[in-house]
Amino acid sequence: MVFLSWTRPSPAQQKACIHRSEGFNYDPKYQGASSQPLSSSNKEKLTKNGFFLNHSRILLGSGPQTFHNAKTALQTWRHLALNWAFVDPKTSIEVGTKFCICVKELLPWVMLPLQVSSVVNDSSNSVGRRGHKGATFGFVSGTLHGHLLAGEECFSIELDEDNQVWYEISSFSKPAHFLSFIGYPYVKLRQKYFAHQSTQSILKHITAQPVAT
């Protein structure tokens, strides 16, 4: 089962995709692994089971205002507001929410169903050596039946104790359909390209915000 559209998917098409998708299409024992620091043993376990690991961590700037703007970007799906991919920006980031990532690949659009499996919204009480408090906002989404891949992805924004703001993407995935088996080398390159494009979209959102006075 693959969800395709020859034109940009409408809200009705996305709703139908979500309705027809079932539960997670990967082993429950791996759920949440993308949000945890991957030790050597965990990396080995995932790779032995056929998963490809992808990770990027990019400095966005510094200060609470940058963190707030970046968090807002994530909450409104600006990190997926691309020419070739999008998510309905009204989608709520809550545990259990199902949604579609709509991706333009060659001729048709592909609708990829996922579900938010965990959310982190933490303001730390610890203070770093420069007197700054840390904070983190992020969420994990897992692939559902009907997705071309099996696995999950974690997006997060962190204000560290040195007052620096980071955007982090962690994922593990493997093919879940013969189309993705055939084109998986391309898929892996596309994931790297997405990390760059997603970061640029968030930075564009941050720089467009008015400076607090």
Side-chain angles (χ1 to χ4, degrees), residues 143-158:
T143 56
L144 302 176
H145 288 280
H147 200 294
L148 293 177
L149 301 177
E152 64 180 34
E153 192 160 36
C154 176
F155 298 100
S156 65
I157 302 294
E158 178 193 5

Side-chain angles (χ1 to χ4, degrees), residues 36-50:
Q36 304 298 323
L38 288 176
S39 64
S40 297
S41 60
N42 285 338
K43 286 181 180 179
E44 185 178 358
K45 186 183 297 183
L46 287 167
T47 54
K48 277 188 175 181
N49 282 276

Side-chain angles (χ1 to χ4, degrees), residues 20-197:
R20 291 178 61 192
S21 64
E22 299 175 0
F24 294 113
N25 66 352
Y26 61 105
D27 196 317
K29 69 182 179 182
Y30 297 120
Q31 289 178 15
S34 65
S35 64
Q36 304 298 323
L38 288 176
S39 64
S40 297
S41 60
N42 285 338
K43 286 181 180 179
E44 185 178 358
K45 186 183 297 183
L46 287 167
T47 54
K48 277 188 175 181
N49 282 276
F51 290 105
F52 170 71
L53 309 183
N54 189 36
H55 177 260
S56 65
R57 180 175 166 86
I58 303 99
L59 181 65
L60 298 176
S62 62
Q65 187 62 47
T66 297
F67 173 78
H68 171 76
N69 291 340
K71 176 181 176 179
T72 300
L74 218 60
Q75 290 173 318
T76 55
W77 300 90
R78 295 297 305 174
H79 60 297
L80 272 159
L82 310 175
N83 291 333
W84 53 274
F86 72 93
V87 170
D88 182 348
K90 296 179 182 178
T91 301
S92 61
I93 298 178
E94 299 176 354
V95 174
T97 297
K98 292 184 178 182
F99 64 96
C100 280
I101 295 180
C102 301
V103 179
K104 182 74 165 65
E105 293 293 354
L106 301 177
L107 293 178
W109 284 82
V110 182
M111 289 171 281
L112 305 172
L114 299 102
Q115 180 174 320
V116 177
S117 58
S118 66
V119 179
V120 174
N121 191 5
D122 177 57
S123 295
S124 174
N125 291 321
S126 60
V127 179
R129 60 181 179 274
R130 297 182 183 177
H132 301 295
K133 291 185 177 181
T136 302
F137 174 78
F139 66 96
V140 174
S141 56
T143 56
L144 302 176
H145 288 280
H147 200 294
L148 293 177
L149 301 177
E152 64 180 34
E153 192 160 36
C154 176
F155 298 100
S156 65
I157 302 294
E158 178 193 5
L159 174 64
D160 70 16
E161 294 172 358
D162 292 323
N163 208 36
Q164 293 185 315
V165 180
W166 300 87
Y167 174 41
E168 189 166 9
I169 306 172
S170 298
S171 68
F172 62 87
S173 63
K174 61 182 177 181
H177 189 277
F178 81 91
L179 289 176
S180 50
F181 272 105
I182 294 171
Y184 201 54
Y186 168 77
V187 171
K188 291 193 287 186
L189 288 174
R190 196 68 160 166
Q191 287 177 329
K192 296 290 186 182
Y193 177 67
F194 164 74
H196 172 73
Q197 291 264 296

